[in-house]
Amino acid sequence: MKTSRLLRRACAALAVAVAALVLVGPGALAAIGTSLPTARLSGEGSSWAGNAVQDWQAAVKAQGVTVDFNPNGSSSGRRDFATGLADYAVSEIPYTGDTADPQDTAKPNFAYGMLPVVAGGTSFMYNLPVNGNQFQNLRLSQLALAKIFSGQITQWNDPAVKATNPGVNLPAQRITVVVRSDGSGATAEFTLWMKHAFPAQYAALCAKAGCNPNSATSYYPTQNMSNFTAQSGSNGVTTYTANTPYTINYDEYSYALGVSFPVAQIQNAAGYFTVPSADAVAVALTQASINQDKSSLNYLSQDLTKVYSYGDPRTYPISAYSYMIEPTVTHGNFDSGKGETLAYFEAFSLCEGQRTMGALGYSPLPMNLVLDAMEQVKRVPGIGASTKAIIANTENGVKAGSANPCNNPTFRPGDNPAHNLLTDTAPFPAGCNAACAAPWARLGGGTSTGGTKGGKSTNGSGTGTTAPVLTPGVTSPGSGSNPAVVCSADTGVCTGPATTTNAAGANPLPTPLNLTGQSTWGVAQTALLLSVFAVAALMFMPPLVSQILGSRRPPGAGSPPEGTS
């Protein structure tokens, strides 16, 4: 009877342990065999990436690790990091380069590094009533977009807006353009796009509102712009737009998804209208050029020039990476204890943290950039043994081609780490027939993602079909099986055998890729389960064996005499 009770108790304990493992999930891995970092960490910066960072915060908090983050804008984050008020910063732009704003003068006087942590697209959430209902299918050419945000188009029924929305009863209402009032990476990236892709419109904005047409700015100019309003932070512009009819703003796609508002479908260089889904962003960023000069302060920073004009029909043209900025030495209040926490948080964000990014409205990092970023994590003073082990397991698994220890959703064991799986599964827009898709179909060959090892700057030329870059207003010369392609300067539409002009209704608003349903069970989780069984065995086997042995003694035998064997 006692034996039966012990067996039942052992089975019950194992069931509870397995249930706890399932409920806690992969986050419990860090607590097995090692102690978690205890120092509390403070961070500031990008609200563009804010929803991603806050998702990671909540995940490590459930493990017992506290990381604070204030999404007060990239400019404030970089400033407070430089002055020691923040332990780390998040920003889309570095301290120097063509996206750096002259108004942001604070720079660290200590050694630091940058690492990409998430990808995403700047979207254009709008609130547009048409015939008494919220319009859900707004389409804009890139030129019309640039004219709206430079004050050259001020009415919703402007001919340039009507041209890409035929048959829609667009209202004769003034467009209220909602921009950021704080210094932000979203503003810097958006104005950089305008400066590169539509310099005449950017120059017109600067001439009227006051900015330097030769440089992007983190502070959107609104002087003399009567139909513009400035709001603080991503939540500020999102809330204002959601509550105010006839408005349009710019910010990361995650914010529009969060309030269930539509975003404008932007016409890419191939003439197709897309939104910044995880797939569309992944395709676009195959053309990002990543600084590979390790001696540069801007090591791993991005050049997005080729992204804007990429000719793949699936691409979203205003896509970018966001970065974490870390100290690589102890300084001020930043000691090795905080360094241990920071390295742990960075490693989590680069691995398990990427799995929820698609559902949030971002795009997960490709494995080659994860590996590059992990090299930066190693530089953090005080990095713990468990974090080093995570990095080593990831590097070894990728090199051996036998595992995906990082659980990265863009990577399949055995692949080149520069191959992003999302570019294989990214759907072609409706209206793109077989001839349209053929030059871009990888069929498992894959595309390379910005950051391939090599010289000082590399791009995503990859192993797939060579990618033509299409520029509005320019005829692309044809050869052989790729005849000439002509792109309209007005609408951004490109025509030719390799592409098809996208008519009204050609592609519906895509649903964001949901990665949360994917399994995250791997080698490490299996090891954790085995360890649970081992602990349970140590707890219950000795009394169970003793009971069994005792039950085998003859009746009345009693205990052996003391001192005998």
Side-chain angles (χ1 to χ4, degrees):
M1 185 67 84
K2 290 182 179 179
T3 302
S4 177
R5 282 200 300 269
L6 283 170
L7 282 171
R8 285 198 298 271
R9 290 175 183 171
C11 291
L14 287 174
V16 170
V18 171
L21 172 65
V22 172
L23 290 172
V24 173
L29 291 173
I32 300 299
T34 60
S35 59
L36 291 168
T38 57
R40 187 165 185 159
L41 206 61
S42 69
E44 298 181 15
S46 171
S47 61
W48 190 93
N51 285 340
V53 179
Q54 289 168 350
D55 186 67
W56 304 328
Q57 275 183 283
V60 299
K61 181 69 173 178
Q63 302 171 8
V65 178
T66 302
V67 175
D68 297 325
F69 180 69
N70 179 13
N72 56 354
S74 291
S75 294
S76 292
R78 291 195 312 278
R79 180 196 63 217
D80 289 348
F81 174 77
T83 58
L85 294 177
D87 297 321
Y88 70 96
V90 179
S91 176
E92 288 69 59
I93 55 180
Y95 282 98
T96 61
D98 60 359
T99 51
D101 195 296
Q103 298 178 71
D104 296 330
T105 57
K107 293 180 174 59
N109 61 3
F110 52 87
Y112 67 93
M114 294 173 53
L115 59 150
V117 287
V118 73
T122 296
S123 69
F124 303 90
M125 173 182 157
Y126 62 94
N127 185 338
L128 178 58
V130 172
N131 298 330
N133 298 307
Q134 186 186 74
F135 187 42
Q136 298 281 341
N137 203 34
L138 179 67
R139 296 173 174 179
L140 295 173
S141 71
Q142 291 187 55
L143 179 58
L145 182 68
K147 286 186 172 182
I148 288 171
F149 281 88
S150 61
Q152 295 175 306
I153 290 178
T154 60
Q155 294 291 121
W156 279 111
N157 64 344
D158 187 276
V161 181
K162 292 173 69 174
T164 50
N165 296 277
V168 178
N169 184 28
L170 293 169
Q173 293 283 345
R174 188 175 78 159
I175 300 171
T176 298
V177 179
V178 187
V179 301
R180 293 280 292 274
S181 63
D182 53 320
S184 75
T187 298
E189 291 294 357
F190 182 44
T191 56
L192 183 68
W193 163 81
M194 200 184 305
K195 171 182 172 290
H196 276 288
F198 297 95
Q201 281 64 47
Y202 188 56
L205 170 68
C206 288
K208 184 174 182 179
C211 59
N212 180 359
N214 298 314
S215 174
T217 179
S218 299
Y219 302 87
Y220 210 98
T222 57
Q223 183 180 351
N224 302 319
M225 309 296 285
S226 61
N227 67 316
F228 280 49
T229 183
Q231 302 294 317
S232 179
S234 298
N235 286 328
V237 298
T238 300
T239 301
Y240 187 92
T241 304
N243 292 331
T244 312
Y246 308 112
T247 50
I248 187 169
N249 71 28
Y250 62 89
D251 220 307
E252 214 286 326
Y253 189 30
S254 178
Y255 289 90
L257 287 181
V259 294
S260 301
F261 260 72
V263 298
Q265 299 172 52
I266 303 303
Q267 197 169 35
N268 60 29
Y272 289 87
F273 295 89
T274 60
V275 298
S277 66
D279 301 303
V281 170
V283 170
L285 290 176
T286 61
Q287 301 305 296
S289 180
I290 303 298
N291 184 339
Q292 289 287 310
D293 181 4
K294 292 186 177 181
S295 66
S296 169
L297 288 175
N298 291 344
Y299 173 56
L300 298 184
S301 65
Q302 58 193 338
D303 179 346
L304 302 171
T305 306
K306 292 182 180 179
V307 172
Y308 306 145
S309 55
Y310 189 34
D312 191 312
R314 303 168 295 175
T315 193
Y316 185 77
I318 311 176
S319 299
Y321 293 111
S322 190
Y323 292 77
M324 199 170 287
I325 305 176
E326 61 179 24
T328 55
V329 294
T330 57
H331 69 96
N333 293 323
F334 187 84
D335 56 20
S336 59
K338 286 188 172 183
E340 182 182 13
T341 303
L342 177 58
Y344 179 86
F345 183 58
E346 289 176 334
F348 178 87
S349 69
L350 293 169
C351 285
E352 290 292 342
Q354 295 298 311
R355 299 196 66 77
T356 56
M357 292 300 96
L360 277 179
Y362 296 91
S363 188
L365 285 182
M367 183 57 84
N368 63 328
L369 286 187
V370 169
L371 294 175
D372 282 341
M374 284 182 165
E375 290 297 318
Q376 295 290 73
V377 178
K378 292 178 185 178
R379 300 175 62 197
V380 176
I383 179 174
S386 62
T387 301
K388 288 180 180 179
I390 290 171
I391 294 174
N393 288 341
T394 300
E395 292 173 340
N396 293 335
V398 172
K399 183 177 180 181
S402 57
N404 182 6
C406 205
N407 280 326
N408 186 292
T410 72
F411 179 70
R412 177 174 51 215
D415 276 357
N416 184 323
H419 173 207
N420 187 332
L421 287 178
L422 298 188
T423 64
D424 288 349
T425 58
F428 285 91
C432 180
N433 59 21
C436 157
W440 312 98
R442 267 57 183 191
L443 301 177
T447 60
S448 176
T449 310
T452 306
K453 296 292 185 184
K456 292 189 175 182
S457 182
T458 58
N459 59 30
S461 54
T463 57
T465 306
T466 301
V469 175
L470 307 181
T471 305
V474 175
T475 299
S476 173
S479 61
S481 60
N482 292 306
V485 177
V486 181
C487 301
S488 163
D490 266 337
T491 65
V493 174
C494 302
T495 58
T499 59
T500 306
T501 300
N502 196 22
N507 77 305
L509 190 68
T511 301
L513 178 67
N514 188 343
L515 300 173
T516 55
Q518 298 188 29
S519 170
T520 59
W521 196 272
V523 175
Q525 286 85 344
T526 302
L528 178 58
L529 181 59
L530 292 175
S531 71
V532 170
F533 278 101
V535 170
L538 288 172
M539 291 173 60
F540 291 100
M541 285 302 291
L544 183 61
V545 170
S546 175
Q547 181 66 31
I548 292 172
L549 291 176
S551 67
R552 291 180 178 178
R553 291 198 183 95
S559 300
E562 187 175 349
T564 64
S565 58

